[in-house]
Amino acid sequence: GDSVTQMEGPVTLSEEAFLTINCTYTATGYPSLFWYVQYPGEGLQLLLKATKADDKGSNKGFEATYRKETTSFHLEKGSVQVSDSAVYFCALKAGGTSYGKLTFGQGTILTVHP
Amino acid sequence: ETGVTQTPRHLVMGMTNKKSLKCEQHLGHNAMYWYKQSAKKPLELMFVYNFKEQTENNSVPSRFSPECPNSSHLFLHLHTLQPEDSALYLCASSQEGSLNTGELFFGEGSRLTVL
């Protein structure tokens, strides 16, 4: 079945450091890929997405490129801020699947210190 | 108003109580969902509603009973819960169709504690 594997957290960085959170997936067909972010006490928000191979999703300084050859969708940011502290979820929706069938990774906790 | 609104934000109940969680979406979407978020576990899809019709029930115990009276409202009725049911319950909506990628829009969640 479909699956998403994220790097184990928590990740702790200093402000302005470079961030990478690894995400790899297993899916049939051609999935759409997503990164969601959950700030403390809130629900999940879509951060960025990519719908086909080699697409790059970007938002708020975050980027991720859909790599079909390595089945990866790693999240990167060049300079993190304290306000980026949150839980980050990688997710996929396999092509042709039924409603709402997003498969989520387990989440990676990011803490950024001043 | 935010796109997806959930009430209450926090709920504490005993194992013999009956309570309900409410979700309302203001996005005109055609599908709504309940997810369960427990500590150190991936999000679990519980129920899916498409145009008010339940299309999926992921082996959820009968002590959880969903209701979708229209395409904008979704309820989760709770009764005879167990302490292990304590979690954050997230409602989401999406616009499904051949031209949509189907990303989900989440509410802020209802934090449930079962004593």
Side-chain angles (χ1 to χ4, degrees):
Chain A
D2 300 335
S3 67
V4 175
T5 302
Q6 290 180 233
M7 64 186 288
E8 291 280 339
V11 174
T12 303
L13 296 173
S14 297
E15 207 164 24
E16 299 183 2
F18 184 85
L19 169 70
T20 300
I21 300 178
N22 290 339
C23 171
T24 57
Y25 66 89
T26 303
T28 55
Y30 300 93
S32 295
L33 301 173
F34 307 87
W35 276 101
Y36 281 83
V37 58
Q38 185 177 30
Y39 298 103
E42 298 184 12
L44 278 70
Q45 303 174 27
L46 179 66
L47 181 59
L48 52 84
K49 67 180 181 183
T51 58
K52 61 183 187 295
D54 299 324
D55 268 2
K56 178 186 282 187
S58 61
N59 186 27
K60 299 181 181 179
F62 292 89
E63 294 183 338
T65 301
Y66 188 144
R67 301 286 188 200
K68 188 167 175 60
E69 64 276 14
T70 54
T71 61
S72 65
F73 193 54
H74 304 321
L75 182 68
E76 296 182 337
K77 187 175 185 182
S79 177
V80 293
Q81 305 299 312
V82 173
S83 57
D84 293 327
S85 298
V87 184
Y88 292 81
F89 294 90
C90 186
L92 72 82
K93 182 173 184 182
T97 55
S98 60
Y99 289 63
K101 289 277 286 183
L102 263 68
T103 300
F104 286 88
Q106 75 273 28
T108 302
I109 299 171
L110 170 66
T111 302
V112 180
H113 292 297
Chain B
E1 287 193 4
T2 57
V4 180
T5 305
Q6 290 187 241
T7 55
R9 293 292 309 278
H10 300 274
L11 177 63
V12 178
M13 59 187 290
M15 290 191 286
T16 58
N17 291 157
K18 289 184 180 181
K19 298 286 184 182
S20 296
L21 306 180
K22 178 184 175 183
C23 176
E24 182 175 2
Q25 61 101 355
H26 310 278
L27 301 169
H29 288 164
N30 58 10
M32 296 186 75
Y33 317 85
W34 281 115
Y35 277 83
K36 177 182 179 182
Q37 185 178 29
S38 304
K40 300 183 180 179
K41 285 186 177 180
L43 270 73
E44 302 171 52
L45 178 63
M46 301 174 72
F47 300 105
V48 181
Y49 276 83
N50 163 29
F51 289 108
K52 306 186 297 177
E53 299 295 324
Q54 187 180 132
T55 58
E56 190 143 350
N57 174 342
N58 277 355
S59 303
V60 180
S62 60
R63 57 186 184 270
F64 294 93
S65 174
E67 179 190 359
C68 188
N70 55 60
S71 58
S72 298
H73 293 85
L74 184 64
F75 294 88
L76 187 62
H77 303 301
L78 316 168
H79 63 98
T80 325
L81 294 191
Q82 305 298 313
E84 60 265 29
D85 296 322
S86 298
L88 183 67
Y89 289 85
L90 291 164
C91 176
S93 69
S94 71
Q95 182 63 27
E96 297 291 323
S98 60
L99 298 180
N100 296 102
T101 55
E103 64 252 37
L104 299 179
F105 292 78
F106 285 86
E108 294 185 319
S110 293
R111 172 70 63 186
L112 173 66
T113 302
V114 181
L115 301 176

